[in-house]
Amino acid sequence: MADRQDLRPPTQVLTRGFDPSLSVGSARPAVFRSSTYVFPSPEAAERAFDLVAGRAQPDSGEQPDLIYSRFNHPNAEILEERLVPLETGAHAALVFNSGMAAIMTALFTFARPGQSILYTVPIYGGTQHLIEDFLSTLGIGGIPVEAGRTGEMDSAIRSAKDLAIVLIETPANPTIVMTDIRHATDAVAHLKPKPLVMVDNTLLGPTFQHPLQLGADLSLYSATKYLSGLSDFIAGAAIASDPKLIRQMRSKRNLFGNILQPDECWMLEGRLPTVTLRMNRSSKNAERIAVRLANHPKISRVLYPTLFTDPEQLQIARNQCDFPGGMLSIDLRGGKKAAFEFLRSLRIARNAVSLGGVETLVCHPKTTTHSGFTEEEFAAAGVTDGLVRISIGIEDWRDLMADFEQALDLI
Ligand SMILES: *Cc1c(COP(=O)(O)O)cnc(C)c1O
């Protein structure tokens, strides 16, 4: 009853994977905080261990018994079932206790010493550190390619030695530069063995950008951001069209112990039905605000998809994204001093890192999220002294606009 696959995504996200009779009839799932599960018989325990170790495959319709909550628990199962309909083209999902845990587990599962990982820059700082400062010590090489440079990515893919993974973060943060996912999946399609294409889909997914539909193998999330939406816990997810990839990652998650805990699974599961509503509202807000800020005399440029002027960027945005999303950056003519005055004067928008919450958050990337960059990296990424990143929330856009205007007036 609960798992009718003919239903549309907004319905499935409310019906899939949960049987109230297993939660004493409760309309919402119970939270199962147990660390361990009682077996109906020693034979059932033996079978459960054979299944979790991969020594046996489940018979059709067989539901493996739960063992121990580092491997699996009911709230993770329900959440994973409900993530699937949200991501177009998905058949399996896996949840983690942070976005970094999802990214780390994906890279550890699919890259071996001697192989390389090609990735777009700028990329999330933690991801870059993981590749350049940690995986490199294990003999896994990182190949950075500037976001949006389609030709450079092609030649880097051609010349890479034993390429295991192409990791794309699009749009790039904080510059909103887009990378063509379809082009990357086409470019690796003929390679043998074929590298996996992974997309960090945190900024526009799952509502506005659909990497699996464009041929990507994995869609990775910091669920801390839009999926959760209330800036009150940390979580991550990996979503795939091929369940085999998720099975491989699951066996590593069992070892690493980085599954999302039951309480956080329950909270996140309850927020999934409103992800699309929240993202649509923040995108509409951001679009209205971006257009108006673009003409402000104290702002030299507004970085936002509907304001792209580069023909290739415009085309990628048009082909790849349903709507422009809730993230924008503004470059203040007065440099760092103006940026700091602006941040200090805001009354509604809050000066904090992170993004994707129902409340508007604003930060100065050069001195915070991107402060580890070298001068060359700042220049290459276009992270200037005056750049301010804004994650637009679901407030009334007119109040946000008035807040930005009064803060700009005070510069
Ligand atoms: C926040 C973020 C991450 C890291 O996620 P955590 O949940 O903080 O571990 C990775 N990628 C992007 C694009 C992010 O914004």
Side-chain angles (χ1 to χ4, degrees), residues 298-300 331-339 341 385-386 411:
K298 287 182 180 166
I299 294 174
S300 62
D331 207 346
L332 292 160
R333 291 189 197 280
K336 179 179 169 185
K337 188 164 175 290
E341 277 167 6
D385 289 321
I411 295 173

Side-chain angles (χ1 to χ4, degrees), residues 97-101 103 124 127 169 173 200 202-203 221-225 234-236 354-355 389:
N97 58 12
S98 70
M100 279 309 299
I103 293 165
Y124 185 73
T127 307
E169 187 177 309
N173 165 26
D200 184 330
T202 301
L203 263 63
Y221 284 93
S222 169
T224 312
K225 316 293 167 55
I234 303 283
S354 198
L355 56 98
R389 185 188 83 183

Side-chain angles (χ1 to χ4, degrees), residues 280-295 302 304 306-307 324-326 328 392 395-398 400-401 404-405:
N280 272 315
R281 169 70 175 243
S282 87
S283 180
K284 280 190 183 132
N285 277 353
E287 195 171 348
R288 287 175 169 134
I289 290 166
V291 169
R292 283 164 179 83
L293 289 178
N295 299 319
V302 174
Y304 191 68
T306 58
L307 301 171
L328 62 108
I392 297 286
E395 302 91 339
D396 191 303
W397 73 272
R398 291 163 295 194
L400 292 173
M401 194 62 214
F404 294 139
E405 274 169 346

Side-chain angles (χ1 to χ4, degrees), residues 369-383:
T369 52
H370 293 68
S371 55
F373 272 22
T374 62
E375 283 308 322
E376 292 74 50
E377 287 169 327
F378 283 132
V383 177

Side-chain angles (χ1 to χ4, degrees), residues 37-53:
Y37 286 83
V38 178
F39 300 111
S41 68
E43 289 77 15
E46 183 179 26
R47 174 75 179 160
F49 271 80
D50 284 343
L51 289 172
V52 79

